[in-house]
Amino acid sequence: MKSYFPIIFLACLPVISKSQVKTNNALLITIDAKNTAQTIHNIGASGCWFSEGIGKNWPVEKREKMAELLFSKQTTADGTPKGIGLSAWRFNVGGGTAEQGDSSGIKDFRKRVECFLNHNGTYDWNKQTGYQWFLRKARDYGVENLIAFSNTPPVQFTQNGLGYKTSKDHQSNLKLDKYEAYADFLTEVIRHFDSQGLHFSYVSPVNEPQWDWFNKPGQASQEGSPWSNEEIHHIVVDLNKSLEQKKLKSQILTTEAGQLNYLYGGKSSAANQIQQFYSDNGAYSFNKLRHVPRFIAGHSYFTDNGDSTIVNTRQHLADTTKKYDIEYWQSEYSMLGDGFREGSKGKRSPMDCALFLAKMINQDLTVGNAVAWQLWNSWEPGNGEFDTRYYLLALRPNATYTDGEFITTKNLWALGNYSLFVRPGMKRLNINRNDGLIPVKVAQDVMVAAFTGGKNKLVMVVINYTRETRGITLDLKNFKRITKYRNYVTSADSEDNLKPSIERILNGSISLIPRSITTIVLN
């Protein structure tokens, strides 16, 4: 779609100097337009697991509204966003556990996924109808990056005929003679959807390879397979070759590490992945593969328990990616662990969860230098009133999952503070603050991330993590003069869901209400 939220452009006037800004004891943030960090690729989410039932069976008006909330960049007459304008959508290429039914061994029928490849070698493109419905909606709304990812090879290619492991050997479930067949399957999926006007910018053949994905039959929670670095290299080489042969443009996303620390450390067969995959002297270097870009993906799960862990993990990751001249994607996160409780033993409110989510995005972007950030679950059955840790929309489906209701959580708007305003191609700007707080202390105070699309725009996402009203003043350098701004606020107030302010004159302190997320668009 071509209708976007209002972008406010900068006037061609002189720079504001520090002496022109009234501090009023507010936090002073200095931003230099020439002091750039990483370029943002996308901010997005996944449709797993529950898109199949919704997209296939739920009434059209409900799923249309859900799609609008995720993908729309439009606003109402007063400037209120209709959605959060995701710039990436992750599509799960299933392994065929749905066709196996209860014999798949996966307990929850909603987490079993169909496979486009039939056992006789033919393809049925009518599979995954619900997933495809949301994929097309993402395309229709103009989502810039469609990403195909796979949790398991097709079950006919696996060693045990299942979509998960039944032995704890930490080896891939893919049969040794089926690597080329798996690569060919993925490229056939890409080629088909290309022909439908649904281009996957990226394909991810391996997911969380560090976990053993072992379960007793009937006890599995989802599709999954471990992979060693050697096995990952094998399938990526074969996938690169298949993409070349079919003259497809999609790139390969690697390696979707289950925790960020496996990207630079660890002792397993799927550890030290940056060093092994992106060094010319690495054991399994990708550096000469044309379809493998110079970035590596990891998941922020379980590295969120305490501010020291959050900061130190991401600083180590940023140092390592810089050393090897690659970029980092955060490609999955939800609050799987209990880090989001931050020491609290009680239930966490929707806004508490939203603030923690916003904090994790901030830390991945500003400390880890992530160039992409993607949430795991857009929707999941759950309570919308507390501990909204897993999803943007809380589902209340019926027993057969053919209909239901959904509740919009504050997580949706927290992500939207970034996704709607921080668009692909924008550059993050390094900032300086006058309070002298070290990064670990900043994570409990006012957190700032600033972005520019060029000389004519500045966007800041500011989190007031404290329970007090705070203020910030700006010292802007090497910008054409900025005189006005508009806020979009998300707070515990039921009306504050990216709530727009009137356009205001930039003169003195910008006020931040307690426990809030504010996007500031300046011109």
Side-chain angles (χ1 to χ4, degrees):
M1 298 188 92
K2 298 296 184 181
S3 179
Y4 297 86
F5 63 88
I7 296 292
I8 306 173
F9 293 95
L10 313 184
C12 299
L13 295 171
V15 172
I16 293 180
S17 69
K18 186 180 295 187
S19 62
Q20 292 173 290
V21 181
K22 299 178 181 179
T23 60
N24 295 326
N25 296 319
L27 174 63
L28 177 63
I29 302 294
T30 302
I31 308 176
D32 187 335
K34 294 183 178 181
N35 189 2
T36 60
Q38 75 270 34
T39 300
I40 302 301
H41 295 189
N42 59 72
I43 298 177
S46 165
C48 273
W49 291 103
F50 304 93
S51 293
E52 183 64 16
I54 299 169
K56 188 174 183 178
N57 299 313
W58 284 34
V60 172
E61 62 272 16
K62 292 180 182 178
R63 45 184 145 128
E64 288 280 5
K65 181 61 179 177
M66 296 168 81
E68 180 183 59
L69 286 168
L70 289 182
F71 305 133
S72 178
K73 305 178 192 76
Q74 293 182 321
T75 63
T76 61
D78 68 353
T80 301
K82 292 183 178 180
I84 64 169
L86 297 179
S87 52
W89 183 244
R90 289 171 59 89
F91 175 87
N92 180 23
V93 179
T97 54
E99 290 90 335
Q100 292 178 320
D102 290 343
S103 64
S104 69
I106 295 176
K107 294 179 291 184
D108 189 339
F109 73 92
R110 297 168 300 185
K111 295 184 180 181
R112 305 168 188 163
V113 191
E114 294 176 332
C115 184
F116 295 119
L117 179 63
N118 297 317
H119 284 263
N120 63 5
T122 63
Y123 283 83
D124 183 351
W125 301 114
N126 293 316
K127 300 280 188 71
Q128 294 194 239
T129 303
Y131 282 101
Q132 290 195 57
W133 192 90
F134 281 104
L135 182 68
R136 288 183 169 81
K137 280 297 171 182
R139 186 268 315 273
D140 294 347
Y141 273 101
V143 174
E144 290 88 341
N145 293 274
L146 302 179
I147 302 165
F149 73 97
S150 174
N151 290 312
T152 179
V155 292
Q156 55 266 46
F157 297 161
T158 65
Q159 295 187 30
N160 58 7
L162 298 171
Y164 60 95
K165 290 282 288 190
T166 48
S167 59
K168 274 193 175 185
D169 56 14
H170 288 274
Q171 295 179 356
S172 171
N173 203 21
L174 181 63
K175 292 178 181 177
L176 289 176
D177 63 348
K178 294 298 182 182
Y179 275 80
E180 289 187 3
Y182 180 36
D184 184 68
F185 162 70
L186 290 174
T187 55
E188 280 302 300
V189 171
I190 292 166
R191 182 158 65 178
H192 166 76
F193 282 103
D194 269 354
S195 74
Q196 302 297 303
L198 290 156
H199 173 63
F200 287 113
S201 302
Y202 304 97
V203 55
S204 173
V206 170
N207 183 68
E208 298 186 343
Q210 292 80 19
W211 312 146
D212 61 32
W213 296 106
F214 166 81
N215 285 105
K216 295 179 180 180
Q219 297 301 310
S221 61
Q222 64 166 84
E223 298 180 344
S225 173
W227 301 79
S228 69
N229 285 347
E230 181 180 8
E231 291 166 335
I232 294 170
H233 184 262
H234 189 170
I235 188 56
V236 169
V237 167
D238 284 352
L239 182 54
N240 183 82
K241 180 180 178 181
S242 187
L243 289 166
E244 289 272 345
Q245 290 174 340
K246 295 177 183 178
K247 298 180 179 180
L248 300 172
K249 296 181 179 179
S250 301
Q251 294 183 303
I252 303 170
L253 180 61
T254 60
T255 60
E256 306 256 25
Q259 285 184 195
L260 299 183
N261 48 293
Y262 286 112
L263 293 176
Y264 58 78
K267 296 181 179 180
S268 76
S269 63
N272 298 290
Q273 295 189 307
I274 292 172
Q275 297 92 324
Q276 294 207 13
F277 291 134
Y278 287 94
S279 167
D280 286 336
N281 299 321
Y284 309 109
S285 178
F286 293 148
N287 286 352
K288 294 183 180 180
L289 300 181
R290 192 169 73 88
H291 287 269
V292 181
R294 292 195 66 81
F295 54 76
I296 195 163
H299 300 171
S300 279
Y301 305 125
F302 311 120
T303 56
D304 58 359
N305 193 2
D307 295 325
S308 293
T309 297
I310 292 170
V311 171
N312 292 340
T313 301
R314 285 152 186 80
Q315 285 180 337
H316 197 156
L317 177 56
D319 290 343
T320 309
T321 54
K322 181 179 180 180
K323 178 179 178 180
Y324 289 90
D325 190 29
I326 64 170
E327 295 177 310
Y328 150 55
W329 277 37
Q330 194 297 118
S331 58
E332 275 191 29
Y333 178 73
S334 66
M335 293 167 250
L336 286 182
D338 281 339
F340 79 104
R341 298 192 185 279
E342 297 190 294
S344 171
K345 295 183 179 180
K347 296 176 180 178
R348 301 296 278 168
S349 74
M351 194 60 208
D352 287 334
C353 294
L355 282 160
F356 192 84
L357 175 61
K359 169 179 168 173
M360 291 304 299
I361 301 172
N362 171 278
Q363 296 294 292
D364 275 313
L365 294 175
T366 66
V367 181
N369 289 332
V371 298
W373 202 97
Q374 295 149 13
L375 188 78
W376 167 234
N377 251 357
S378 295
W379 33 62
E380 186 168 320
N383 193 313
E385 305 304 321
F386 58 86
D387 287 354
T388 55
R389 56 197 292 186
Y390 301 126
Y391 38 77
L392 304 177
L393 303 179
L395 303 179
R396 292 179 176 173
N398 62 18
T400 56
Y401 205 55
T402 54
D403 197 356
E405 304 297 332
F406 65 89
I407 299 171
T408 302
T409 75
K410 289 290 180 178
N411 290 341
L412 178 79
W413 308 111
L415 179 58
N417 275 91
Y418 295 92
S419 60
L420 185 59
F421 300 95
V422 183
R423 306 305 303 174
M426 292 179 71
K427 294 182 181 296
R428 187 176 71 82
L429 299 173
N430 293 309
I431 69 163
N432 288 310
R433 47 195 297 148
N434 72 334
D435 57 7
L437 290 183
I438 62 173
V440 170
K441 297 296 184 183
V442 170
Q444 290 294 326
D445 197 78
V446 173
M447 291 168 266
V448 180
F451 307 87
T452 181
K455 297 179 179 178
N456 296 327
K457 184 172 64 174
L458 175 64
V459 169
M460 300 171 62
V461 183
V462 185
I463 308 166
N464 181 6
Y465 218 63
T466 76
R467 299 188 182 277
E468 301 174 349
T469 299
R470 298 288 294 273
I472 61 170
T473 57
L474 304 180
D475 178 13
L476 305 178
K477 301 180 182 297
N478 293 309
F479 288 91
K480 295 176 181 178
R481 188 177 178 185
I482 292 175
T483 60
K484 298 178 181 179
Y485 71 95
R486 192 176 195 184
N487 289 342
Y488 295 81
V489 177
T490 301
S491 78
D493 190 304
S494 61
E495 299 299 319
D496 286 355
N497 300 318
L498 291 178
K499 183 178 180 180
S501 71
I502 60 171
E503 191 173 67
R504 293 169 173 151
I505 301 299
L506 182 62
N507 181 21
S509 177
I510 299 173
S511 182
L512 308 170
I513 64 175
R515 302 288 285 169
S516 66
I517 311 158
T518 301
T519 297
I520 308 169
V521 180
L522 301 105
N523 76 327

